[in-house]
Amino acid sequence: MFLKRATILLIVALILAACSGSPPSSPTAAPTVPAPTLENTPTPQGPQPVSNIEDLKKATIQIEAQGTFVDPEVGLMLNVAGRGSGFIIDPSGIAVTNNHVVTGAALIKVWVGGETEARNARILGVSECWDLAVIDIEGDGFPYLALHEGEINPGLEVYAAGFPLGDPEYTLTKGIVSKAKADGKTSWASIPAVIEHDARIRGGNSGGPLVDNQARVVGINYAGNNVYDMNFAIRAQDAMKIIETLRKGQDFESIGVNGQAVMSEDGSLSGIWVASVKSGSPASKAGIQGGDIITRMEGLVLATDGTMGDYCDILRTRSADSSIAIEVLRFDTQEVLSGELNGRPLETKFSFAQELGGDTANESTANTDYILVQDDSGAIQVAIPSTWSEVDGSPWVLDNEVIGASITAAASLSNFASYWDEPGIFFAASDRVAQLAGYIQLLDAYRESYRNECKLQGRYDYEDSAFEGAYDYYINCNGAGNALIVLTARPKQNKTAFLVTFIFNAMSDSDWAALDQALNTFDVVGTLP
């Protein structure tokens, strides 16, 4: 019986284990990029900043970004001309806007203070985590804005300037700060704290200034909620340190994408949808394209909460040139790619469906629905066909002792446990097994058990963005005409933390596609029992 064999195999693995694993090493956080302070006081001989609301328009700009973008709902959009706002912070033409307004654009046009003729501009630096970008406008001698240096408390009178809804007509709205430090996590940014205010902003106001009654910058508008009439701005006092880095031509907390967090309705797929990519950026060099979904970074599944939080937290613990393992779903072709930022370029991840099951296996994927299931403790998860209606998420038990988490799934668990012609999966993870054996020793134990019933085709290395290990490929167990994959692996980070066992029995092309789906989604997401 299949499940009984799994228990026997574990016992054999424990007997064969030669030594305990060494304790995991603590990761060393990369040093953060120091951000110089902004010199807010002009030289006595130089131009003076705008100092009243009446002249605020002169330093406020409208931006048109032209290029090709891939929208998650609309798809490919060629030669799009999206519009946003911004403001000038230096008379030489240095201006601030949002990352999502300009990144990935082929051409940027700017209208200063309501001018009828557009000026060209170039991007100096961007940050997708702060949703900030600094651009340089052609020309010189521009009016500019200075920084509000006082406290930012609820009740502070503020004005939002810009060009909402792409209208070339300048707009100014008035309100007060309603919350000084609101949550800054959104689907397209992750900012430590932002300002909530009621000076109404709309699409097209993005990147425009939020100022006090003397036209000094309090914040950079970046988000609004029309339903609840809530408006948000990045705190200028926090942002200016980042802006000083960007104006020197250095990106900050950025890989060079214009994207947003997305999640499928059933939760089986989440990640960062890439609308466009900045040329020459780490994302561009790695091979990321518009329409890709970055599903994992350093083995961590991204955007499970619908925000950029985890994505930005990873960038904040790495230096700008650190190699970062990534996994990408190329949505239009359904390819899964793996590689590294600042390292190995993206390449097609190993596909059991293509390598072992044949090209026709991919044809069944479009007609199969998958669901993401977890074990009873919420420690591990994997996607399975919705037709596999019987799922057992009880703990992994040996000799009446819980040793880890497990998921067993099939259309019929009793048939999967008893016969070789029933497709199904057994996925488990254990930190206790990892203390006694390596993944090769564990795989050898399974081989010893299966060698009399199944024909071994070979052993192969396995690697994805989060795990490394090996798998044995068997066929025709007891004449059933099946194919059996037995994989054991360890996490790339903290290699002795735990071991996973992944056993998959396939009978048809659709099963091969289900195997690839399971391999793309299996993960340890919580504390093992």
Side-chain angles (χ1 to χ4, degrees):
M1 292 184 291
F2 191 85
L3 295 182
K4 184 176 180 181
R5 277 198 299 271
T7 301
I8 294 173
L9 294 174
L10 179 59
I11 296 173
V12 175
L14 295 175
I15 294 174
L16 290 178
C19 60
S20 62
S22 59
S25 58
S26 298
T28 301
T32 57
V33 179
T37 59
L38 175 70
E39 292 294 336
N40 195 42
T41 305
T43 59
Q45 297 81 12
Q48 299 297 304
V50 172
S51 59
N52 58 75
I53 295 299
E54 289 73 21
D55 291 335
L56 176 58
K57 176 182 178 180
K58 297 177 181 179
T60 305
I61 63 175
Q62 185 175 44
I63 302 169
E64 182 178 271
Q66 298 181 3
T68 298
F69 297 84
V70 184
D71 185 272
E73 295 182 357
V74 178
L76 182 65
M77 300 185 294
L78 297 173
N79 297 326
V80 175
R83 292 200 174 191
S85 300
F87 58 97
I88 299 171
I89 62 170
D90 188 280
S92 65
I94 304 299
V96 174
T97 186
N98 288 146
N99 174 74
H100 76 261
V101 172
V102 298
T103 292
L107 178 63
I108 299 173
K109 293 183 178 181
V110 172
W111 289 262
V112 178
E115 291 178 342
T116 57
E117 295 294 326
R119 300 170 182 263
N120 291 324
R122 62 188 180 95
I123 297 175
L124 298 181
V126 298
S127 172
E128 52 250 30
C129 290
W130 283 81
D131 196 19
L132 290 171
V134 173
I135 62 175
D136 187 2
I137 307 167
E138 66 176 357
D140 202 353
F142 295 101
Y144 68 99
L145 302 183
L147 176 66
H148 171 89
E149 295 181 336
E151 293 292 327
I152 302 174
N153 295 316
L156 177 67
E157 187 177 278
V158 290
Y159 297 80
F163 299 85
L165 306 177
D167 194 323
E169 186 70 23
Y170 170 77
T171 299
L172 185 69
T173 57
K174 180 180 179 181
I176 62 171
V177 171
S178 52
K179 188 179 291 186
K181 293 186 178 181
D183 184 4
K185 288 184 180 180
T186 66
S187 62
W188 68 93
S190 180
I191 304 164
V194 298
I195 300 166
E196 182 182 331
H197 62 89
D198 62 3
R200 175 167 292 192
I201 61 174
R202 292 294 179 263
N205 272 120
S206 292
L210 183 74
V211 302
D212 62 17
N213 57 14
Q214 296 180 33
R216 295 173 302 190
V217 180
V218 174
I220 302 102
N221 288 311
Y222 86 114
N225 186 315
N226 292 341
V227 176
Y228 299 104
D229 195 21
M230 300 168 70
N231 314 279
F232 299 93
I234 305 163
R235 291 170 58 90
Q237 293 174 344
D238 299 333
M240 283 304 180
K241 294 181 180 180
I242 312 303
I243 289 167
E244 278 302 295
T245 298
L246 304 185
R247 68 184 292 177
K248 294 177 180 178
Q250 303 172 23
D251 291 346
F252 184 78
E253 292 179 6
S254 171
I255 67 170
V257 300
N258 190 335
Q260 67 181 82
V262 294
M263 180 182 294
S264 62
E265 291 185 2
D266 63 1
S268 62
L269 173 64
S270 66
I272 307 302
W273 178 281
V274 178
S276 58
V277 180
K278 179 184 176 183
S279 297
S281 65
S284 175
K285 292 177 181 178
I288 295 175
Q289 303 175 6
D292 286 349
I293 301 176
I294 306 172
T295 56
R296 293 179 187 241
M297 264 188 172
E298 290 295 298
L300 182 68
V301 179
L302 300 177
T304 55
D305 63 350
T307 76
M308 295 267 280
D310 288 340
Y311 169 87
C312 291
D313 285 346
I314 292 173
L315 295 188
R316 285 169 179 149
T317 60
R318 299 324 192 257
S319 61
D321 58 356
S322 293
S323 294
I324 301 176
I326 57 171
E327 193 167 292
V328 169
L329 172 63
R330 186 143 292 161
F331 196 73
D332 57 348
T333 63
Q334 292 295 296
E335 293 178 272
V336 176
L337 310 171
S338 63
E340 295 175 336
L341 299 166
N342 300 314
R344 176 172 54 89
L346 288 174
E347 58 185 4
T348 303
K349 187 179 174 183
F350 179 85
S351 168
F352 281 99
Q354 293 178 355
E355 297 295 327
L356 304 179
D359 293 336
T360 58
N362 290 331
E363 299 173 3
S364 61
T365 305
N367 300 320
T368 303
D369 293 326
Y370 296 94
I371 57 175
L372 191 68
V373 296
Q374 293 187 335
D375 71 299
D376 293 348
S377 69
I380 61 175
Q381 66 183 25
V382 67
I384 62 172
S386 58
T387 54
W388 291 6
S389 57
E390 296 188 13
V391 180
D392 179 4
S394 58
W396 199 3
V397 176
L398 176 65
D399 292 337
N400 297 319
E401 181 181 356
V402 174
I403 63 167
S406 71
I407 298 172
T408 310
S412 170
L413 288 180
S414 61
N415 287 345
F416 181 57
S418 304
Y419 308 107
W420 286 112
D421 59 359
E422 181 71 24
I425 184 174
F426 173 75
F427 170 48
S430 172
D431 50 2
R432 301 187 187 183
V433 174
Q435 295 172 3
L436 301 172
Y439 66 83
I440 290 296
Q441 291 170 301
L442 184 56
L443 192 59
D444 286 341
Y446 283 105
R447 176 180 289 192
E448 184 65 23
S449 178
Y450 289 128
R451 67 185 182 88
N452 293 326
E453 297 183 65
C454 308
K455 184 178 180 181
L456 177 65
Q457 298 297 289
R459 172 170 293 182
Y460 309 92
D461 292 331
Y462 176 84
E463 182 178 3
D464 61 27
S465 61
F467 294 94
E468 60 186 10
Y471 69 93
D472 286 341
Y473 172 41
Y474 303 88
I475 62 171
N476 203 29
C477 300
N478 285 346
N482 66 315
L484 180 71
I485 299 295
V486 181
L487 183 152
T488 58
R490 65 187 181 189
K492 287 183 174 180
Q493 303 292 329
N494 293 337
K495 294 185 178 182
T496 58
F498 57 85
L499 285 178
V500 298
T501 293
F502 185 101
I503 302 174
F504 195 100
N505 194 45
M507 292 296 299
S508 66
D509 285 344
S510 62
D511 297 334
W512 287 111
L515 171 59
D516 276 353
Q517 186 73 11
L519 286 169
N520 290 335
T521 56
F522 83 86
D523 203 3
V524 176
V525 295
T527 303
L528 294 172

